[in-house]
Amino acid sequence: MRELGEHLRKHAEDYRDAVHGHFFATVAESRQVFALSMKDTHPSMAPALAWVLENMEDGEVRGDVAKRLARMGRDHRRHGFPPEIYPKFETSLVHGLQVLGLTPYQYDVATRTISHVCSIMRSAAQEADVAGLPPAHSAQVVAVEKPNRNTAVVRLESGMALDYRAGQHVPVTSQLTPGTWRPLTPAAPADDSGQLIFHLALAGEASSMLAKAQPGDWWTLGMPAGEPPQLDSDTTLISFGTGWAGARALLLDALENTLPSGLQVYAVAPSPGEHYDTEFQANLQALLPELKLRHIVREGQDPWLLGAQPAAHGFMPVVANEPMEPVLAEGTDRRFVLIGPADRVELARAALLAGGVAEEAITTDSWQRGHEWAASAAELDGWGDDWEAWAAWKKSQWA
């Protein structure tokens, strides 16, 4: 039902508003759970349902689609609703279909799909409750650092250690972002102390508000999610901006065993001062002289009033108008792992493909609202496979 999924994406806001208007009227306490602004209330709901419709197998919800919905059912327990809420939510989801102008056949397919989706999520939530898995954790902010005006490093302590794998992300909310959850990647592997570090870019309302945290604030953390990439001697790990948090966690995790000898690491930022955590990076290089860790920038000078802290001794970034050129110069017969904001990751992926890297050799871990429910990772703003044209059009987004 790809056509139905596409139709739902085109009318995503109308559908979302209709669903939530009905749900808020039916379950009054739900209004306190979600964001005050309707546009920030469950923004991925319509794209997620569209994705399910587009990826069903012979009209059935099964396989990887069902597994992903089960993970959502376990994860969404963080909102505080019991599994028994799903029949009411299903009724609201079906009610919202009225704004789509569907044919009887499309309406029947959509209602059956919604029923199956809610059944899978409800069962997964019930199983997690029975297993005693906590729906969320609380952690208190203990320190906030601002290496430059666009970045914040927030340290927290949780009374109970959060179990996650290095490279996974955690949904986060606070009293500054009521009802809005932002996926963040811890910058260090999990440990028994319950200490957490997050790197935030001041981009977007949720991240900017979380970056205003002060010591003493309390954050709520949902269940970890994501499938972290594996590092080996043929891997080139590339981070963009605060994507360094995920790369940092993966490197620290690898250190507990033996860091792959041929591993290459690149940190990419618009200008020198946008690079942060350089003291840690310098110490890592001193500990592992064989590790190839390089910094890339598009501009050699920082913008006015960036307010960047001094970089570590010996910090010498490579200036490249096309940031992937220094990477490609090291060879294309490797496996590339890209971590960071979706626009920068997709632009880098396009440049690597245009430079001769095989598509199957590129792994991406990116974030952008609704991006995880994209119809197809290959459909890049309508450019299809014309990677060079798309890369040229998106050039300005490195800044």
Side-chain angles (χ1 to χ4, degrees):
M1 290 302 294
R2 182 165 295 277
E3 296 82 3
L4 181 54
E6 293 175 353
H7 182 67
L8 180 55
R9 290 181 188 278
K10 292 178 181 178
H11 301 278
E13 293 187 4
D14 293 337
Y15 178 71
R16 179 202 61 201
D17 292 351
V19 170
H20 282 105
H22 185 272
F23 190 61
F24 292 158
T26 306
V27 185
E29 61 270 25
S30 66
R31 199 64 187 91
Q32 302 176 17
V33 174
F34 296 104
L36 296 176
S37 171
M38 186 65 81
K39 69 180 179 65
D40 293 321
T41 301
H42 216 162
S44 63
M45 182 185 64
L49 180 56
W51 181 86
V52 173
L53 289 165
E54 293 160 346
N55 288 276
M56 292 192 299
E57 299 178 17
D58 300 323
E60 298 293 333
V61 180
R62 56 179 180 235
D64 291 339
V65 177
K67 291 178 182 178
R68 189 169 182 182
L69 290 172
R71 288 197 297 270
M72 283 180 59
R74 293 188 291 269
D75 182 39
H76 283 194
R77 295 181 305 136
R78 69 178 187 265
H79 294 300
F81 292 116
E84 290 72 23
I85 199 67
Y86 276 98
K88 294 182 178 179
F89 190 49
E90 177 182 338
T91 300
S92 295
L93 288 169
V94 172
H95 173 83
L97 296 175
Q98 297 176 7
V99 304
L100 300 179
L102 304 180
T103 66
Y105 173 71
Q106 290 174 326
Y107 182 84
D108 182 59
V109 170
T111 53
R112 284 190 287 107
T113 301
I114 288 171
S115 178
H116 200 172
V117 166
C118 289
S119 176
I120 292 172
M121 294 180 67
R122 179 181 183 178
S123 296
Q126 289 173 329
E127 292 171 2
D129 286 347
V130 171
L133 297 176
H137 291 73
S138 292
Q140 189 173 37
V141 176
V142 295
V144 180
E145 303 171 14
K146 299 288 181 64
N148 57 58
R149 72 175 183 181
N150 297 329
T151 310
V153 176
V154 182
R155 300 175 185 271
L156 303 99
E157 290 184 355
S158 174
M160 180 183 298
L162 185 64
D163 185 20
Y164 61 89
R165 288 179 292 161
Q168 285 189 304
H169 64 264
V170 179
V172 174
T173 190
S174 76
Q175 66 266 40
L176 296 175
T177 57
T180 300
W181 295 78
R182 175 73 167 86
L184 300 177
T185 304
D191 60 33
D192 295 333
S193 69
Q195 297 186 30
L196 295 157
I197 305 174
F198 293 110
H199 298 170
L200 291 108
L202 277 69
E205 292 182 20
S207 293
S208 297
M209 292 303 294
L210 288 171
K212 294 180 180 179
Q214 298 293 326
D217 290 352
W218 285 92
W219 286 12
T220 302
L221 316 175
M223 291 185 64
E227 189 61 36
Q230 300 297 314
L231 307 183
D232 56 38
S233 58
D234 293 323
T235 300
T236 296
L237 178 61
I238 309 172
S239 68
F240 304 87
T242 52
W244 167 248
R248 185 183 193 272
L250 290 170
L251 291 171
L252 286 172
D253 185 60
L255 274 175
E256 295 184 4
N257 301 301
T258 302
L259 199 68
S261 58
L263 177 65
Q264 297 180 4
V265 182
Y266 293 87
V268 182
S271 68
E274 295 277 6
H275 282 286
Y276 64 97
D277 207 27
T278 56
E279 290 290 350
F280 169 87
Q281 294 164 349
N283 291 336
L284 186 63
Q285 286 254 245
L287 178 65
L288 301 166
E290 69 277 12
L291 176 65
K292 181 178 290 187
L293 196 163
R294 295 180 179 177
H295 300 86
I296 301 175
V297 296
R298 284 199 69 227
E299 303 291 341
Q301 298 295 322
D302 289 327
W304 188 50
L305 296 180
L306 180 62
Q309 295 179 356
H313 178 72
F315 174 75
M316 295 182 63
V318 175
V319 180
N321 187 52
E322 169 48 71
M324 290 301 98
E325 286 182 358
V327 178
L328 290 167
E330 295 293 324
T332 59
D333 190 19
R334 295 180 61 82
R335 190 171 67 88
F336 296 84
V337 176
L338 315 179
I339 306 177
D343 55 351
R344 298 190 184 186
V345 165
E346 288 175 349
L347 178 56
R349 182 174 182 273
L352 292 176
L353 288 169
V357 176
E359 185 173 359
E360 60 272 16
I362 303 175
T363 301
T364 62
D365 181 7
S366 60
W367 56 85
Q368 177 177 302
R369 173 173 288 186
H371 181 75
E372 70 274 22
W373 301 109
S376 171
E379 295 172 3
L380 300 174
D381 293 342
W383 289 104
D385 292 329
D386 192 353
W387 300 108
E388 293 185 2
W390 185 84
W393 181 73
K394 295 283 280 184
K395 178 80 74 174
S396 61
Q397 294 200 25
W398 285 109

Coordinates of all heavy atoms in Angstrom, one line a residue, residues 45-119:
M45 N 4.2 10.5 14.3 CA 3.1 9.5 14.3 C 2.7 9.1 12.8 O 2.6 8.0 12.4 CB 1.9 10.0 15.0 CG 0.8 9.0 15.1 SD -0.7 9.7 15.9 CE -1.1 11.0 14.8
A46 N 2.3 10.1 12.0 CA 1.9 9.9 10.7 C 3.0 9.3 9.8 O 2.7 8.3 9.1 CB 1.3 11.2 10.0
P47 N 4.2 9.8 9.8 CA 5.3 9.2 9.0 C 5.5 7.7 9.4 O 5.8 6.9 8.6 CB 6.5 10.0 9.3 CG 5.9 11.4 9.7 CD 4.7 11.1 10.4
A48 N 5.4 7.4 10.8 CA 5.6 6.0 11.2 C 4.5 5.1 10.7 O 4.8 4.0 10.2 CB 5.6 6.0 12.7
L49 N 3.2 5.5 10.7 CA 2.2 4.7 10.2 C 2.3 4.6 8.7 O 2.1 3.5 8.1 CB 0.8 5.3 10.5 CG -0.4 4.6 10.0 CD1 -0.4 3.2 10.5 CD2 -1.7 5.3 10.5
A50 N 2.7 5.7 8.0 CA 3.0 5.6 6.5 C 4.1 4.6 6.2 O 3.9 3.8 5.3 CB 3.3 7.0 6.0
W51 N 5.1 4.6 7.0 CA 6.2 3.6 6.8 C 5.7 2.2 7.0 O 6.1 1.3 6.2 CB 7.3 3.9 7.8 CG 8.5 3.0 7.7 CD1 9.6 3.2 6.9 CD2 8.8 1.8 8.4 NE1 10.5 2.2 7.0 CE2 10.0 1.3 8.0 CE3 8.1 1.1 9.4 CZ2 10.6 0.1 8.5 CZ3 8.6 -0.1 9.9 CH2 9.8 -0.6 9.4
V52 N 4.9 1.9 7.9 CA 4.3 0.6 8.1 C 3.5 0.2 6.9 O 3.7 -0.9 6.3 CB 3.4 0.5 9.4 CG1 2.7 -0.8 9.4 CG2 4.3 0.7 10.6
L53 N 2.7 1.1 6.4 CA 1.9 0.8 5.2 C 2.8 0.5 4.0 O 2.4 -0.4 3.2 CB 0.9 1.9 4.9 CG -0.2 2.1 5.9 CD1 -0.8 3.5 5.7 CD2 -1.3 1.0 5.7
E54 N 3.9 1.2 3.9 CA 4.8 1.1 2.7 C 5.6 -0.2 2.8 O 6.2 -0.6 1.8 CB 5.7 2.3 2.6 CG 4.9 3.6 2.3 CD 5.7 4.8 2.6 OE1 6.7 4.7 3.4 OE2 5.3 5.9 2.2
N55 N 5.8 -0.8 4.0 CA 6.7 -1.9 4.2 C 6.0 -3.2 4.6 O 6.7 -4.1 5.0 CB 7.8 -1.5 5.2 CG 8.7 -0.5 4.6 OD1 9.7 -0.8 4.0 ND2 8.5 0.8 4.9
M56 N 4.7 -3.3 4.5 CA 4.0 -4.5 4.8 C 4.4 -5.6 3.8 O 4.7 -5.3 2.6 CB 2.5 -4.3 4.9 CG 2.0 -3.4 6.0 SD 0.2 -3.5 6.2 CE -0.3 -2.8 4.7
E57 N 4.3 -6.8 4.2 CA 4.6 -8.0 3.4 C 3.3 -8.7 3.0 O 2.6 -9.2 3.9 CB 5.5 -9.0 4.1 CG 6.9 -8.4 4.5 CD 7.8 -9.4 5.2 OE1 7.5 -10.6 5.2 OE2 8.8 -9.0 5.8
D58 N 2.9 -8.6 1.8 CA 1.7 -9.2 1.3 C 0.5 -8.7 2.1 O -0.4 -9.5 2.5 CB 1.8 -10.7 1.4 CG 2.9 -11.3 0.5 OD1 3.1 -10.7 -0.6 OD2 3.5 -12.3 0.9
G59 N 0.5 -7.5 2.5 CA -0.6 -6.9 3.2 C -0.6 -7.2 4.7 O -1.6 -6.9 5.4
E60 N 0.5 -7.8 5.2 CA 0.5 -8.1 6.6 C 1.7 -7.4 7.3 O 2.7 -7.2 6.7 CB 0.7 -9.7 6.8 CG -0.4 -10.5 6.2 CD -1.7 -10.3 7.0 OE1 -1.6 -10.0 8.2 OE2 -2.8 -10.5 6.4
V61 N 1.5 -7.1 8.6 CA 2.6 -6.5 9.4 C 3.3 -7.7 10.1 O 2.8 -8.3 11.0 CB 2.0 -5.6 10.5 CG1 3.1 -5.0 11.3 CG2 1.1 -4.5 9.8
R62 N 4.5 -7.9 9.6 CA 5.3 -9.0 10.1 C 6.8 -8.7 9.9 O 7.2 -7.7 9.4 CB 4.9 -10.3 9.6 CG 4.9 -10.4 8.0 CD 4.5 -11.8 7.6 NE 4.5 -11.9 6.1 CZ 3.5 -12.3 5.4 NH1 2.4 -12.6 6.0 NH2 3.6 -12.4 4.1
G63 N 7.6 -9.7 10.3 CA 9.1 -9.6 10.0 C 9.7 -8.4 10.8 O 9.4 -8.1 11.9
D64 N 10.6 -7.7 10.1 CA 11.3 -6.6 10.7 C 10.4 -5.4 11.1 O 10.6 -4.7 12.0 CB 12.4 -6.0 9.7 CG 13.5 -7.0 9.6 OD1 13.7 -7.9 10.4 OD2 14.2 -6.9 8.5
V65 N 9.3 -5.3 10.3 CA 8.3 -4.2 10.7 C 7.7 -4.5 12.0 O 7.6 -3.6 12.9 CB 7.2 -4.1 9.6 CG1 6.2 -3.1 10.0 CG2 7.8 -3.7 8.2
A66 N 7.3 -5.7 12.2 CA 6.7 -6.1 13.5 C 7.7 -6.0 14.7 O 7.3 -5.5 15.8 CB 6.1 -7.5 13.5
K67 N 8.9 -6.3 14.4 CA 10.0 -6.2 15.4 C 10.2 -4.7 15.8 O 10.3 -4.4 17.0 CB 11.3 -6.8 14.9 CG 11.3 -8.3 14.8 CD 12.6 -8.8 14.3 CE 12.6 -10.3 14.1 NZ 13.9 -10.8 13.5
R68 N 10.1 -3.9 14.8 CA 10.3 -2.4 15.1 C 9.2 -1.9 15.9 O 9.3 -1.1 16.8 CB 10.5 -1.7 13.8 CG 10.9 -0.2 14.0 CD 11.4 0.4 12.7 NE 11.8 1.8 12.8 CZ 12.2 2.6 11.9 NH1 12.2 2.1 10.6 NH2 12.6 3.8 12.1
L69 N 8.0 -2.3 15.6 CA 6.8 -1.9 16.3 C 6.8 -2.4 17.8 O 6.4 -1.7 18.7 CB 5.5 -2.4 15.6 CG 5.2 -1.7 14.3 CD1 4.0 -2.4 13.6 CD2 4.9 -0.2 14.5
A70 N 7.3 -3.6 18.0 CA 7.4 -4.1 19.3 C 8.4 -3.3 20.1 O 8.2 -3.0 21.3 CB 7.9 -5.6 19.3
R71 N 9.5 -2.9 19.5 CA 10.5 -2.0 20.2 C 9.8 -0.7 20.6 O 10.0 -0.1 21.7 CB 11.7 -1.7 19.3 CG 12.6 -2.9 19.2 CD 14.0 -2.5 18.7 NE 13.9 -1.9 17.3 CZ 14.0 -2.6 16.2 NH1 14.2 -3.9 16.2 NH2 14.0 -2.0 15.1
M72 N 9.0 -0.1 19.7 CA 8.3 1.1 20.0 C 7.3 0.9 21.1 O 7.2 1.8 22.0 CB 7.5 1.5 18.7 CG 8.3 2.2 17.7 SD 7.3 2.7 16.2 CE 6.1 3.8 17.1
G73 N 6.6 -0.3 21.2 CA 5.7 -0.5 22.3 C 6.4 -0.5 23.6 O 5.9 0.0 24.6
R74 N 7.6 -1.1 23.7 CA 8.4 -1.1 24.9 C 8.9 0.3 25.2 O 8.9 0.7 26.4 CB 9.6 -2.1 24.8 CG 9.2 -3.5 24.7 CD 10.4 -4.5 24.7 NE 11.2 -4.3 23.5 CZ 11.1 -5.1 22.5 NH1 10.1 -6.0 22.4 NH2 11.9 -5.0 21.4
D75 N 9.3 1.0 24.2 CA 9.9 2.3 24.4 C 8.9 3.4 24.8 O 9.1 4.2 25.7 CB 10.6 2.8 23.1 CG 11.3 4.1 23.2 OD1 11.9 4.4 24.3 OD2 11.2 4.9 22.3
H76 N 7.7 3.3 24.3 CA 6.6 4.3 24.5 C 6.1 4.2 25.9 O 5.2 5.0 26.3 CB 5.5 4.2 23.5 CG 6.0 4.8 22.2 ND1 5.1 5.1 21.2 CD2 7.2 5.2 21.7 CE1 5.7 5.7 20.2 NE2 7.0 5.7 20.5
R77 N 6.5 3.2 26.7 CA 6.0 3.1 28.1 C 6.5 4.3 28.9 O 6.0 4.7 30.0 CB 6.5 1.8 28.8 CG 5.9 0.6 28.2 CD 6.4 -0.7 28.9 NE 7.9 -0.7 28.8 CZ 8.6 -1.0 29.9 NH1 8.1 -1.3 31.1 NH2 9.9 -1.1 29.8
R78 N 7.5 5.0 28.4 CA 8.1 6.2 29.1 C 7.1 7.3 29.2 O 7.2 8.2 30.1 CB 9.3 6.7 28.3 CG 9.0 7.4 27.0 CD 10.2 7.9 26.3 NE 9.9 8.7 25.1 CZ 10.0 8.2 23.9 NH1 10.3 6.9 23.7 NH2 9.7 9.0 22.8
H79 N 6.0 7.3 28.4 CA 5.0 8.3 28.5 C 4.1 8.1 29.7 O 3.3 9.0 30.1 CB 4.1 8.3 27.3 CG 4.8 8.7 26.0 ND1 5.4 10.0 25.9 CD2 5.1 8.1 24.8 CE1 6.0 10.0 24.7 NE2 5.8 8.9 24.0
G80 N 4.2 7.0 30.3 CA 3.4 6.7 31.6 C 2.1 6.1 31.4 O 1.4 5.9 32.4
F81 N 1.6 5.8 30.2 CA 0.4 5.1 30.0 C 0.5 3.6 30.2 O 1.5 3.0 29.7 CB -0.2 5.4 28.5 CG -0.5 6.8 28.3 CD1 0.2 7.6 27.3 CD2 -1.6 7.4 29.0 CE1 -0.2 8.9 27.1 CE2 -1.9 8.7 28.7 CZ -1.2 9.5 27.8
P82 N -0.5 3.0 30.8 CA -0.5 1.5 30.8 C -0.8 0.9 29.5 O -1.4 1.6 28.6 CB -1.6 1.2 31.9 CG -2.6 2.4 31.7 CD -1.7 3.6 31.4
P83 N -0.5 -0.4 29.3 CA -0.9 -1.0 28.0 C -2.4 -1.0 27.7 O -2.7 -1.0 26.5 CB -0.4 -2.5 28.2 CG 0.7 -2.4 29.2 CD 0.2 -1.3 30.2
E84 N -3.2 -0.8 28.7 CA -4.6 -0.8 28.5 C -5.1 0.4 27.7 O -6.3 0.5 27.3 CB -5.4 -0.9 29.8 CG -5.3 -2.3 30.5 CD -3.9 -2.6 31.1 OE1 -3.1 -1.6 31.3 OE2 -3.5 -3.7 31.2
I85 N -4.2 1.4 27.5 CA -4.6 2.6 26.8 C -4.7 2.4 25.3 O -5.4 3.1 24.5 CB -3.6 3.7 27.0 CG1 -4.2 5.1 26.7 CG2 -2.3 3.5 26.2 CD1 -5.3 5.5 27.6
Y86 N -4.1 1.3 24.8 CA -4.0 1.1 23.3 C -5.4 1.0 22.6 O -5.5 1.5 21.5 CB -3.1 -0.1 23.0 CG -1.7 0.3 22.9 CD1 -0.9 0.1 24.0 CD2 -1.1 0.9 21.8 CE1 0.5 0.5 24.0 CE2 0.2 1.3 21.8 CZ 1.0 1.1 22.9 OH 2.3 1.5 22.9
P87 N -6.4 0.3 23.2 CA -7.7 0.3 22.5 C -8.3 1.7 22.2 O -8.8 2.0 21.2 CB -8.6 -0.5 23.4 CG -7.7 -1.4 24.1 CD -6.4 -0.6 24.3
K88 N -8.1 2.6 23.2 CA -8.5 4.0 23.0 C -7.7 4.7 22.0 O -8.2 5.5 21.2 CB -8.5 4.7 24.4 CG -9.5 4.2 25.4 CD -9.4 5.0 26.7 CE -10.4 4.5 27.7 NZ -10.4 5.2 29.0
F89 N -6.4 4.5 22.0 CA -5.5 5.1 21.0 C -5.8 4.6 19.6 O -5.8 5.4 18.7 CB -4.1 4.9 21.4 CG -3.1 5.7 20.5 CD1 -3.2 7.0 20.4 CD2 -2.0 5.1 19.9 CE1 -2.4 7.8 19.6 CE2 -1.1 5.8 19.2 CZ -1.3 7.2 19.0
E90 N -6.2 3.3 19.5 CA -6.6 2.7 18.2 C -7.8 3.4 17.7 O -7.9 3.8 16.5 CB -6.8 1.2 18.4 CG -7.3 0.6 17.1 CD -7.6 -0.9 17.3 OE1 -7.0 -1.5 18.2 OE2 -8.3 -1.4 16.5
T91 N -8.8 3.7 18.6 CA -10.0 4.4 18.2 C -9.7 5.8 17.6 O -10.3 6.2 16.6 CB -11.0 4.5 19.4 OG1 -11.3 3.1 19.8 CG2 -12.3 5.2 19.0
S92 N -8.8 6.5 18.3 CA -8.4 7.8 17.8 C -7.7 7.7 16.5 O -7.9 8.6 15.6 CB -7.5 8.5 18.9 OG -8.3 8.7 20.1
L93 N -6.8 6.8 16.3 CA -6.1 6.6 15.0 C -7.1 6.3 13.9 O -6.9 6.9 12.8 CB -5.1 5.5 15.1 CG -3.8 5.7 16.0 CD1 -3.1 4.4 16.2 CD2 -2.9 6.7 15.4
V94 N -8.1 5.5 14.2 CA -9.1 5.3 13.1 C -9.9 6.5 12.9 O -10.2 6.8 11.7 CB -9.9 4.1 13.6 CG1 -11.1 3.9 12.6 CG2 -9.1 2.8 13.6
H95 N -10.3 7.2 13.9 CA -11.1 8.5 13.8 C -10.3 9.5 12.9 O -11.0 10.1 12.1 CB -11.3 9.1 15.2 CG -12.0 10.4 15.1 ND1 -13.3 10.6 15.0 CD2 -11.4 11.7 15.1 CE1 -13.6 11.9 15.0 NE2 -12.5 12.6 15.0
G96 N -9.0 9.6 13.0 CA -8.3 10.5 12.2 C -8.3 10.2 10.7 O -8.0 11.1 9.9
L97 N -8.6 9.0 10.3 CA -8.7 8.7 8.9 C -9.7 9.5 8.2 O -9.6 9.6 6.9 CB -8.9 7.2 8.7 CG -7.9 6.2 9.3 CD1 -8.4 4.8 9.1 CD2 -6.5 6.4 8.6
Q98 N -10.7 10.0 8.9 CA -11.7 10.8 8.2 C -11.2 12.0 7.4 O -11.9 12.4 6.4 CB -12.8 11.3 9.3 CG -13.5 10.1 10.0 CD -14.4 10.6 11.1 OE1 -14.6 11.8 11.2 NE2 -14.9 9.7 11.9
V99 N -10.1 12.5 7.8 CA -9.6 13.7 7.1 C -8.8 13.4 5.9 O -8.5 14.3 5.1 CB -8.7 14.6 8.1 CG1 -9.4 14.9 9.3 CG2 -7.4 13.8 8.4
L100 N -8.6 12.1 5.6 CA -7.8 11.7 4.4 C -8.6 11.4 3.2 O -8.0 11.3 2.1 CB -7.0 10.4 4.8 CG -6.0 10.5 6.0 CD1 -5.3 9.2 6.2 CD2 -5.0 11.6 5.7
G101 N -9.9 11.4 3.3 CA -10.7 11.1 2.1 C -10.4 9.8 1.4 O -10.3 9.8 0.2
L102 N -10.4 8.7 2.2 CA -10.0 7.4 1.6 C -11.2 6.7 0.9 O -12.3 7.0 1.2 CB -9.5 6.5 2.8 CG -8.3 7.1 3.6 CD1 -7.9 6.0 4.6 CD2 -7.1 7.4 2.7
T103 N -10.8 5.9 0.0 CA -11.8 5.0 -0.6 C -12.2 3.9 0.4 O -11.4 3.7 1.4 CB -11.3 4.3 -1.8 OG1 -10.2 3.4 -1.5 CG2 -10.8 5.3 -2.8
P104 N -13.3 3.2 0.3 CA -13.7 2.2 1.2 C -12.6 1.1 1.4 O -12.3 0.6 2.5 CB -15.0 1.6 0.6 CG -15.6 2.7 -0.1 CD -14.4 3.5 -0.7
Y105 N -12.0 0.8 0.2 CA -10.9 -0.2 0.3 C -9.7 0.3 1.1 O -9.2 -0.4 2.0 CB -10.5 -0.6 -1.1 CG -9.3 -1.5 -1.1 CD1 -9.3 -2.9 -0.8 CD2 -8.0 -1.0 -1.6 CE1 -8.2 -3.7 -0.8 CE2 -6.9 -1.9 -1.6 CZ -7.0 -3.2 -1.2 OH -5.9 -4.0 -1.2
Q106 N -9.3 1.5 0.8 CA -8.2 2.1 1.5 C -8.5 2.2 3.0 O -7.6 1.9 3.9 CB -7.8 3.5 1.0 CG -7.2 3.4 -0.4 CD -7.0 4.8 -1.0 OE1 -7.8 5.7 -0.7 NE2 -6.0 5.0 -1.8
Y107 N -9.7 2.6 3.3 CA -10.1 2.7 4.7 C -10.0 1.4 5.5 O -9.6 1.3 6.6 CB -11.5 3.3 4.8 CG -12.0 3.5 6.2 CD1 -11.7 4.7 6.9 CD2 -12.8 2.6 6.9 CE1 -12.2 4.9 8.2 CE2 -13.3 2.8 8.1 CZ -13.0 3.9 8.8 OH -13.5 4.1 10.1
D108 N -10.5 0.3 4.8 CA -10.5 -1.0 5.4 C -9.0 -1.5 5.6 O -8.7 -2.0 6.7 CB -11.2 -2.0 4.4 CG -11.2 -3.4 5.0 OD1 -11.8 -3.6 6.1 OD2 -10.7 -4.3 4.4
V109 N -8.1 -1.2 4.6 CA -6.7 -1.6 4.8 C -6.1 -0.8 6.0 O -5.4 -1.4 6.8 CB -5.9 -1.3 3.5 CG1 -4.4 -1.5 3.8 CG2 -6.4 -2.3 2.4
A110 N -6.4 0.5 6.0 CA -5.8 1.3 7.1 C -6.3 0.9 8.5 O -5.5 0.8 9.4 CB -6.1 2.8 6.8
T111 N -7.6 0.6 8.6 CA -8.1 0.2 9.9 C -7.5 -1.1 10.4 O -7.2 -1.3 11.6 CB -9.6 0.2 9.9 OG1 -10.1 -0.7 8.8 CG2 -10.2 1.6 9.7
R112 N -7.4 -2.1 9.5 CA -6.9 -3.3 9.8 C -5.4 -3.2 10.2 O -4.9 -3.9 11.1 CB -7.0 -4.3 8.7 CG -8.4 -4.9 8.5 CD -8.5 -6.0 7.5 NE -8.4 -5.6 6.1 CZ -7.3 -5.8 5.4 NH1 -6.3 -6.4 5.9 NH2 -7.3 -5.4 4.1
T113 N -4.7 -2.4 9.5 CA -3.3 -2.1 9.8 C -3.1 -1.5 11.2 O -2.3 -1.9 12.0 CB -2.6 -1.3 8.7 OG1 -2.7 -1.9 7.5 CG2 -1.1 -1.1 9.0
I114 N -3.9 -0.5 11.4 CA -3.9 0.2 12.7 C -4.2 -0.8 13.9 O -3.5 -0.7 14.9 CB -4.9 1.4 12.7 CG1 -4.3 2.5 11.8 CG2 -5.1 1.9 14.2 CD1 -5.3 3.6 11.6
S115 N -5.1 -1.6 13.7 CA -5.5 -2.6 14.7 C -4.3 -3.5 15.0 O -4.0 -3.8 16.2 CB -6.7 -3.4 14.3 OG -7.0 -4.4 15.2
H116 N -3.6 -4.0 13.9 CA -2.5 -4.9 14.1 C -1.3 -4.2 14.8 O -0.7 -4.7 15.6 CB -2.1 -5.4 12.7 CG -1.3 -6.7 12.8 ND1 -0.9 -7.4 11.7 CD2 -0.7 -7.3 13.9 CE1 -0.2 -8.5 12.1 NE2 -0.1 -8.4 13.4
V117 N -1.1 -2.9 14.4 CA 0.0 -2.1 15.0 C -0.2 -2.0 16.5 O 0.7 -2.2 17.3 CB 0.1 -0.7 14.3 CG1 0.9 0.2 15.1 CG2 0.6 -0.9 12.9
C118 N -1.4 -1.6 16.9 CA -1.7 -1.4 18.3 C -1.6 -2.7 19.1 O -1.2 -2.7 20.2 CB -3.1 -0.7 18.4 SG -3.1 1.0 17.9
S119 N -2.1 -3.8 18.4 CA -2.0 -5.1 19.1 C -0.5 -5.5 19.4 O -0.2 -5.9 20.5 CB -2.7 -6.1 18.3 OG -2.5 -7.4 18.8

